[in-house]
Amino acid sequence: MISIKVPPLGESIVEATVGRWLTEEGQAVAAGDPLLELETDKINVEVPAPTAGVLTRRLVNEGDTVTLDQPLAEFDDTAAGATAGAAAARASAPSTAAASSASPASSGAASAPAVAHETTPAPRAAASGAQGAAAPPAAPAAKRAAAERGVDLSQVTGTGRDGRITKGDVLDHAARAGSGGAQGAAQGATPPAPATPSATSPAGAPSRPAPAFPAPVPGAQRAASGERETREKMSTRRKRIAENLLQSANATARLTTFNEIDMSAVSALRARWRERVEKEHGVKLTFMPFFVRAATMALQSYPVVNAQVDGDSILYHHYVNMGIAVASDQGLVVPVIKDADRKGMLEVSGEMAALAKRARDGKLTMDDLTGGTFTITNGGVFGSLVSTPILNYPQVGILGLHAIQDRPVAVDGKVEIRPMMYVALTYDHRIVDGQQAVLFLVRVKQLMEDPASMLIA
């Protein structure tokens, strides 16, 4: 008999919340199969089975707070017979599911949402309506997301290892279906579900139309049942987000300054190089790498915006670890691009895409989320025109990007229609003076309106 305990959760994390049990008592599992999911203030952690065996007893319930090394369950690693029986049952699941979904598949209709709960998804129907090969397995988080959104896993294309369906695949599929089916699919995946007003997708570019949300806001589905009120316990991450926001509000003297950027030049440059960059380097050239480059150069000119308060001292960072705020359905996270000031735009693009995917799939590590010195947040991907971002404490500066909007502007004494974007810098007035903040934002504006200067400056 083995005692399953809370594993190490990362630096400075000493407790977690039991999110969901993924295995029932008496259920046989293979080595490495996830038994339960723990939620921390930064990442979610799946606790795997150490060997093949049977989960004999749960010692904690969903929603319980647990600490490091606390026993979670009892596990029988000697139940080889039960394990073999469970494996045989799982192996027979595809044929059973296929038989039950034969009629819908033959007519081109989606199979019943209940398939999302199967250990192995039903066979995927081919485009012509004929039965195809069995769909790849889905991660537990993907199954839950599919069940919550009524998504048929047999219609989802997996991008994980060996074609495994991830939670991000389900959210992307739901977003495309919700924004018009084929049209949404042609446009590609939309950003993750927004959790706070100051969130963005690092791989996404500021765009004029607000994208369709991939899922209803929390509580919307229950409200449809006719209940007048519902109560939901905050997750560990949501509680920590609330604590951090209050700490930022109470511990800083924050002020916001605004400017606007003519995006004509950078839009033309991006349009000219986008296809070639994607073809030759395999990364999408979005607007965000340009802003990362402009911000890092502006921080070199005004290093106090990249500093932090340490007691009665100012700690200056002679490097830029750029945080990019990302919204996920678990809450706001800020993955960090380390030494962004020493990386080119293409390297930044590739790293942002990788971080965005890990954020959607719930695979971010503690190293991905720590060490940031400055943050960029982009409400423009959700249609925000103007906002005042809140500081990511203990940082003293955060750059807020917004939607691009065609507006009439005066150019050389004439009125022209230009693609304009409002930008905002929130800063800690304790060490950043208004002059430095304004000049920082003006520098970002100059670089973005003349992107060639970023190559020679």
Side-chain angles (χ1 to χ4, degrees), residues 175-197:
R176 290 193 295 271
S179 59
Q183 179 182 359
Q187 293 173 344
T190 61
T196 69

Side-chain angles (χ1 to χ4, degrees), residues 73-254:
E74 294 177 354
F75 187 82
D76 186 359
D77 60 338
T78 64
T83 305
R90 286 197 295 269
S92 65
S95 58
T96 303
S100 64
S101 61
S103 178
S106 63
S107 62
S111 57
V115 175
H117 298 283
E118 296 291 338
T119 302
T120 305
R124 183 174 306 182
S128 61
Q131 288 288 347
K143 295 178 184 178
R144 293 196 301 273
E148 292 168 356
R149 292 162 176 79
V151 172
D152 178 9
L153 285 176
S154 68
Q155 304 299 317
V156 179
T157 300
T159 61
R161 185 176 180 181
D162 299 326
R164 186 178 179 86
I165 297 173
T166 68
K167 184 176 183 178
D169 297 330
V170 174
L171 297 179
D172 289 344
H173 179 87
R176 290 193 295 271
S179 59
Q183 179 182 359
Q187 293 173 344
T190 61
T196 69
S198 59
T200 182
S201 169
S207 56
R208 295 162 200 171
F213 294 107
V217 295
Q221 292 175 328
R222 285 191 294 270
S225 66
E227 297 181 45
R228 290 178 60 83
E229 294 181 341
T230 57
R231 183 181 296 274
E232 180 180 81
K233 185 178 180 181
M234 284 188 183
S235 66
T236 299
R237 182 178 298 178
R238 176 54 58 189
K239 286 188 290 187
R240 184 54 60 90
I241 288 173
E243 292 169 359
N244 289 344
L245 292 176
L246 284 175
Q247 182 183 28
S248 176
N250 294 330
T252 63
R254 62 198 182 283

Side-chain angles (χ1 to χ4, degrees), residues 2 31 34 107 130 157 166 218 226 279 295 302 355 402 412 418 443 448:
I2 298 175
S107 62
T157 300
T166 68
K279 181 178 180 181
Y302 304 97
L355 286 170
H402 301 91
D412 297 329
R418 295 289 184 93
R443 182 61 175 153
M448 290 298 295

Side-chain angles (χ1 to χ4, degrees), residues 1 16 20 50 82 123 140 171 191 193 202 220 272 289 308 310 318 326 351 353 381 386 394 396 443-445:
M1 194 72 69
R20 288 177 182 259
L171 297 179
R272 188 163 66 249
Q308 72 180 66
D310 184 15
H318 303 299
V326 178
E351 195 164 334
V381 294
V386 181
V396 299
R443 182 61 175 153
V444 171
K445 171 185 172 69

Side-chain angles (χ1 to χ4, degrees), residues 53-103:
V54 174
L55 180 69
T56 57
R57 184 186 175 196
R58 299 176 180 176
L59 301 179
V60 293
N61 299 315
E62 293 181 357
D64 287 355
T65 299
V66 293
T67 57
L68 292 179
D69 212 35
Q70 177 178 335
L72 299 170
E74 294 177 354
F75 187 82
D76 186 359
D77 60 338
T78 64
T83 305
R90 286 197 295 269
S92 65
S95 58
T96 303
S100 64
S101 61
S103 178

